[in-house]
Every structure is written in C-alpha cells, then in structure tokens.
C-alpha cells in the first residue's frame, strides 16, 4: 500500500516576479537589482557583486525586461494552471512595483492594483496565493543611496513595504515568505541582497552584517504579518540540499556538517530565534563583528516563522581531498564535488531524488515545524516535434521520482503541507538568464535572445501533472 498525501495538500507551481512579469518600467515600477543582470559571461560578475553597474548598458540583453510578459498575460496563464488543477501558486511581489525607489513616502497604487487583480484571478479558480515578499530584488535606488542591505536603514524600508502589502492583501493572501533562498546572499550577494563590493572591502564582514539586517527585517515582517493578518502563515525560505561527505573520513564528515551549517545558520535564527553557538564561533574565528541594536535579539526570539519553505534541486557533496576537490559540479549555485553515484542535468545540477527525502527529514528533525516545498524541478532543453508538441519524459521522470521520495518523507512522519514545482510555465533562468533552460509544463515560444511569439502551449508533462494533482499524488 502506498502512503498518501494529506487532504488539502497544496499542489501547484512557483514563479518569481522578475523571471515572469516583464513590463519592467511599466505603471510606475522602479528599476530593481535583477533588472541589471545581463545574459552571457558578465552575468556572474554582476551577480557576485564584483562590478558596479547600476543602469542598463546599451547593447546588453536583459531578459527580465520582457521576461514572458506575465504582467499582460497572467489571465491566460492562470487559466492554464487552473486547468492542471493547481491548488496553490507561489508568486513574488516586485518591491519596486510597490515602492519604486524603496524609500518613497507613499506606495505606487498601480503596482498595488496589479497584484490585487492577480490574486482575484487566482481566487476565481480557488488557487491559494503563496507570496514571497522579496525574491531576489532590491530597488536600485536603495543600492545607490544606501549601499543596499549593508545599511541598517533597509530594515525599516523593508518593514514599511511588508506592512503595506500585508494590509492591502490581508483578505486575499494567507501564506507568505519573507526572503527567497535567504542563504543565497553568501553565494550571489548582489542577487540575494543587492551588495556590490569595492576594492579592498571585507566581503565576509559585509555579507554577515547584511544577513543580520535581513534576519531582523524578516522577524519584523513576521511580527507585522501576525498583527495585521492573525491567521497568516509566514515562513522562511532556504535553498536546501543536504551535504554528503565524499568519504567516511571524519574530516570529510566534519566539513559536510560545516557546509550545511552555513545555510542552516539563517533558518536557525528565523525558526529557533537565536544565533546558534557554531555561528558565534564562526564569527569569532573570522574576526567578524555584527552590529546589533539593543532589542534585536529579543525580536529574533519572539517572532520566529510558522513554517519552513525550501527549494530542493540537488544534494551536495564535499571533501577535504585536494584531488577530489578538482572535480567540481554545480547545483543551484552551490559548488559541490561530483558524486560518483549520481547523474547530473544538462546544466550539471546533480539529480538525487533520495536526497530530497533525506533533506526533508533533516529539516523536520531540526525545526519540528511544517515544511513547504516551494521549488523543485528539472531545467532542461525541450525539442519541438514536427507538429509542435513536446515529449518531455525526462521532466516527468525527474518529478515523479522526487514526488515519490516526498511521499516517503511524509511516511517517515515529516509534516509537508504543499509542493509547488518550479517554473510550471517556462521562464527566464535565474542563474544563467537563459530561456532554453526550461522547467515548464507549458512551453513559451521565446529564445535566449528574446525572439519568439510568446505563445503558450502544453507539453506532455501538462497532462501528467494534472493527473498527479487530481489523484492527490497517488498516480505518478
Ligand atoms: C532558485 C531560485 C529561482 C530559480 C531556481 C532555478 O535558486 O529561487 O528563482 O530560478 O533556483 O534556477 P535556474 O533558474 O537558475 O535554473
């Protein structure tokens, strides 16, 4: 007998504003950090905060500027999600649509209205909105004028933004998340926190100070959210994926533990409400000093999250052996050594369904709070058949194996409340800016250079996912 998914399980999909909306300066929206990510080799330097380019450069291609034009086509897209039977859709609100500069005295009504209309459209089909407050975006003015999250002032701007959207959407949105993949700040600081470094600056110090500001801002958002919407569920969001030691050598095992803790640090603060001992030691060992305000510790302690949102694409593997360390692979931006037992995607992301079960168990053991899988999926190249159809069996296989392992985790006793697969419609890739790295059940006619009709069409996986949802995960 196969175990079952709980009744009311939130099946659906997940997207982010900058990867779908386009209309990047329409209806009063301000420029945001992610609007400055070009395609091509330069993208990595910008994402890592190595170069300061705070205006679009003539001749570069910025895929977020038009993305898949969800801003104008969301009705068609929501109707397709509804046809698949979605119970939930995770979107993010673009901060600069609401506060174009980030520090404006009043919000932009046209931006607020857009999300009102979007939530109404979801509600029409009984699709539960799940909203990320900050998914990799910071209004560019906050970077120019304040140095972004390195500056304490961002806490207050974020709090104002969060309060504004809680108040406006209190009757429409119950599931919220503060920062998408908050641990990404350590790896892609411009993407995670709008940070750009100057020559000679202590990057680690700036990153951990910015992290502290985001953690305090997150706690203040949890506080405000609970006050404004008493039945709201407000979560954190971790780029998850357990780290395996390459061998049973205790040095490798200790290193794997440390790697995991680099990420757990954020969630330990957001969920357990305090800086863990290992983090204090890390800061001391590295001569890092976090400026805190008097009641920060109290805020962190009192306003912890209601659930743990996380993305899972890959497990990670680490080693202390210099020879082994030469064979580095990717996996949602987190460098990993190649795991000899596992295959990888076309972009080198390790594929490890069992690692999904292990990760979910690890998170539940650690936090004992409901988990929400808010991203999972396979980025792959899709080839069109002569008649325009797409047989994406590789995607179905990936998802099937992962959902089966999620069911195992539930059988293990892990409380999982929902699963929103990443990019249910093809969208711009966050890491590479490509369109050809596709995750969707719905194909979008657009290529890496921005050419194409933007027409939507169903892939083979569309009917498959529809059946998964209709059977509440029994028919995979
Ligand atoms: C996560 C992000 C998403 C996303 C996904 C897939 O890091 O939260 O925004 O896009 O990974 O990554 P990519 O688009 O690079 O394939």
């Amino acid at each position: 007998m196969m175990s079952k998914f709980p009744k009311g399980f939130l099946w659906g999909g997940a997207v982010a504003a900058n990867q779908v909306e386009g209309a990047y300066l329409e209806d009063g929206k301000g420029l945001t950090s992610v609007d400055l990510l070009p395609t091509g080799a330069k993208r990595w330097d910008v994402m890592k905060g190595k170069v300061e380019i705070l205006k679009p450069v003539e001749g570069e291609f910025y895929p977020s500027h038009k993305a898949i034009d969800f801003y104008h086509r969301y009705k068609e897209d929501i109707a397709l999600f509804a046809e698949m039977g979605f119970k939930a859709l995770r979107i993010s609100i673009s901060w600069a649509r609401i506060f174009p500069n980030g520090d404006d005295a009043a919000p932009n009504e046209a931006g607020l209205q857009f999300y009102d209309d979007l939530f109404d459209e979801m509600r029409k089909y009984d699709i539960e909105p799940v909203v990320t407050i900050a998914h990799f975006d910071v209004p560019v003015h906050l970077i120019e004028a304040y140095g972004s999250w390195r500056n304490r002032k961002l806490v207050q701007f974020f709090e104002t933004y969060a309060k504004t959207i809680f108040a406006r959407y209190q009757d429409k949105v119950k599931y919220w998340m503060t920062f998408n993949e908050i641990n990404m700040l350590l790896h892609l600081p411009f993407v995670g926190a709008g940070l750009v470094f100057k020559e000679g600056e202590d990057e680690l110090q700036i990153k951990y100070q910015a992290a502290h500001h985001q953690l305090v801002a997150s706690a203040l958002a949890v506080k405000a959210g609970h006050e404004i919407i008493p039945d709201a569920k407000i979560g954190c969001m971790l780029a998850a994926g357990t780290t395996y030691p390459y061998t049973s050598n205790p040095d490798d095992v200790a290193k794997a533990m440390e790697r995991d803790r680099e990420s757990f640090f954020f969630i330990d603060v957001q969920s357990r409400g305090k800086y863990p001992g290992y983090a204090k030691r890390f800061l001391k060992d590295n001569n890092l000093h976090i400026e805190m305000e008097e009641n920060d510790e109290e805020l962190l302690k009192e306003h912890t999250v209601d659930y743990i949102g996380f993305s899972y694409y890959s497990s990670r593997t680490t080693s202390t052996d210099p020879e082994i360390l030469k064979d580095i692979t990717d996996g949602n931006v987190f460098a990993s050594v190649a795991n000899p037992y596992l295959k990888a995607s076309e972009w080198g992301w390790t594929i490890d369904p069992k690692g999904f079960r292990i990760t979910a168990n690890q998170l539940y053991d650690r936090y004992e709070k409901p988990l929400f899988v808010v991203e999972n999926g396979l980025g792959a190249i899709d080839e069109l058949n002569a008649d325009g159809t797409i047989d994406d069996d590789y995607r179905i296989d990936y998802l099937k194996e992962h959902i089966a392992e999620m069911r195992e985790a539930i059988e293990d006793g892990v409380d999982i409340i929902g699963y929103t697969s990443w990019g249910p419609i093809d969208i711009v890739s966050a890491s590479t800016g490509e369109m050809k790295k596709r995750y969707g059940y719905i194909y979008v006619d657009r290529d890496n250079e921005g050419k194409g009709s933007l027409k939507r069409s169903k892939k083979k996986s569309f009917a498959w996912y529809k059946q998964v949802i209709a059977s509440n995960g029994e028919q995979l």
Side-chain angles (χ1 to χ4, degrees):
M1 249 308 262
M2 280 201 289
S3 55
K4 289 198 173 125
F5 285 93
K7 208 169 151 259
F9 191 77
L10 293 168
W11 295 101
V15 297
N18 75 89
Q19 291 170 263
V20 293
E21 287 177 4
Y24 84 114
L25 292 179
E26 228 168 290
D27 294 335
K29 177 181 166 293
L31 198 64
T32 94
S33 51
V34 269
D35 293 327
L36 298 169
L37 303 181
T39 50
K42 274 197 208 115
R43 189 176 178 90
W44 287 98
D45 282 349
V46 179
M47 291 197 296
K48 290 190 170 156
K50 290 193 171 152
V51 287
E52 186 176 56
I53 306 174
L54 299 181
K55 276 191 195 68
V57 175
E58 199 53 44
E60 293 287 359
F61 175 58
Y62 297 92
S64 78
H65 293 189
K66 189 148 189 200
I68 60 158
D69 197 31
F70 182 75
Y71 192 77
H72 298 110
R73 294 166 197 249
Y74 69 88
K75 288 193 179 162
E76 182 192 347
D77 296 341
I78 305 278
L80 286 163
F81 298 152
E83 194 184 327
M84 271 187 281
F86 276 27
K87 312 281 182 225
L89 178 66
R90 173 180 176 228
I91 61 121
S92 74
I93 292 181
S94 166
W95 189 347
R97 269 197 208 288
I98 311 302
F99 288 97
N101 297 296
D103 60 357
D104 316 71
N108 169 34
E109 177 55 33
L112 287 166
Q113 189 59 47
F114 169 69
Y115 295 104
D116 255 322
D117 296 345
L118 178 60
F119 298 140
D120 289 346
E121 198 65 20
M122 291 186 209
R123 289 271 172 221
K124 196 166 116 186
Y125 300 102
D126 284 329
I127 297 176
E128 185 77 39
V130 178
V131 174
T132 318
I133 300 173
H135 192 126
F136 297 159
D137 66 356
V138 183
V140 170
H141 172 71
L142 296 184
I143 306 176
E144 273 169 344
Y146 306 95
S148 195
W149 281 101
R150 66 170 73 202
N151 191 324
R152 175 85 194 195
K153 290 211 172 87
L154 270 272
V155 173
Q156 183 206 322
F157 299 139
F158 183 84
E159 190 189 5
T160 303
Y161 161 51
K163 281 183 173 166
T164 305
I165 57 178
F166 288 142
R168 177 77 172 217
Y169 308 122
Q170 54 182 303
D171 298 327
K172 299 181 184 178
V173 182
K174 301 293 171 202
Y175 288 91
W176 298 85
M177 264 168 281
T178 54
F179 291 90
N180 178 62
E181 296 193 335
I182 189 164
N183 49 326
M184 194 59 85
L185 183 161
L186 298 179
H187 305 269
L188 298 177
F190 185 74
V191 172
L195 298 174
V196 187
F197 305 106
K198 303 223 165 21
E199 188 77 31
E201 277 190 331
D202 183 346
E203 292 192 13
L204 207 56
Q205 169 65 38
I206 292 166
K207 285 198 250 185
Y208 275 93
Q209 185 64 55
H212 179 71
H213 293 152
Q214 288 196 343
L215 292 166
V216 172
S218 176
L220 283 166
V222 172
K223 177 174 188 282
H226 285 154
E227 282 164 9
I228 299 169
I229 319 173
D231 59 341
K233 301 269 177 247
I234 308 173
C236 53
M237 197 317 201
L238 172 76
T242 194
T243 309
Y244 302 137
Y246 190 81
T247 70
S248 55
N249 178 339
D251 289 342
D252 283 0
V253 178
K255 190 171 171 192
M257 178 181 79
E258 277 168 24
R259 274 289 142 81
D260 273 346
R261 282 175 163 181
E262 279 174 16
S263 293
F264 286 150
F265 156 65
F266 294 86
I267 311 304
D268 285 355
V269 177
Q270 288 176 297
S271 183
R272 293 166 153 175
K274 59 177 197 291
Y275 274 58
Y278 67 81
K280 290 183 183 158
R281 175 177 182 177
F282 173 84
L283 295 170
K284 196 166 106 218
D285 287 357
N286 288 281
N287 276 323
L288 304 175
H289 175 71
I290 307 290
E291 274 312 312
M292 290 200 194
E293 284 188 4
E294 217 180 287
N295 58 350
D296 282 2
E297 285 181 334
E298 202 182 309
L299 273 172
L300 296 175
K301 188 156 179 259
E302 280 174 16
H303 305 289
T304 56
V305 292
D306 300 315
Y307 68 91
I308 313 294
F310 70 102
S311 62
Y312 177 85
Y313 294 92
S314 309
S315 57
R316 299 151 193 163
T317 302
T318 194
S319 166
T320 49
D321 179 339
E323 273 311 301
I324 303 294
L325 282 170
K326 282 183 185 156
D327 193 5
I328 290 290
T329 155
D330 201 349
N332 201 12
V333 181
F334 292 71
S336 166
V337 304
N339 184 326
Y341 301 97
L342 299 170
K343 294 202 177 64
S345 79
E346 286 161 305
W347 273 264
W349 294 24
T350 305
I351 298 175
D352 181 12
K354 188 157 276 176
F356 187 22
R357 175 182 173 189
I358 296 168
T359 300
N361 270 278
Q362 195 182 21
L363 290 173
Y364 194 62
D365 285 351
R366 196 172 181 101
Y367 302 114
E368 296 182 308
K369 286 188 185 174
L371 304 185
F372 198 159
V373 182
V374 294
E375 287 185 32
N376 172 240
L378 178 72
I381 296 172
D382 291 327
E383 305 283 357
L384 276 81
N385 297 323
D387 63 354
T389 56
I390 293 160
D391 297 321
D392 54 343
D393 295 279
Y394 36 90
R395 181 169 294 108
I396 295 174
D397 290 346
Y398 177 100
L399 293 165
K400 196 185 276 188
E401 288 170 15
H402 282 76
I403 293 172
E405 290 295 339
M406 173 166 64
R407 189 163 52 196
E408 290 299 321
I410 291 173
E411 190 64 13
D412 293 332
V414 179
D415 180 8
I416 305 182
I417 57 175
Y419 175 87
T420 54
S421 71
W422 182 249
I425 181 167
D426 294 343
I427 63 182
V428 176
S429 156
S431 58
T432 69
E434 291 165 299
M435 264 312 293
K436 75 168 185 199
K437 189 178 186 193
R438 298 173 183 275
Y439 287 84
Y441 309 111
I442 301 162
Y443 184 83
V444 176
D445 179 25
R446 187 165 167 85
D447 68 13
N448 283 356
E449 285 81 45
K451 291 196 286 290
S453 66
L454 287 166
K455 185 172 162 283
R456 279 63 169 149
S457 53
K458 299 171 193 171
K459 304 181 195 173
K460 187 174 178 184
S461 55
F462 186 98
W464 171 79
Y465 196 47
K466 182 177 177 174
Q467 152 216 301
V468 172
I469 299 177
S471 66
N472 196 25
E474 278 189 50
Q475 280 170 45
L476 294 183

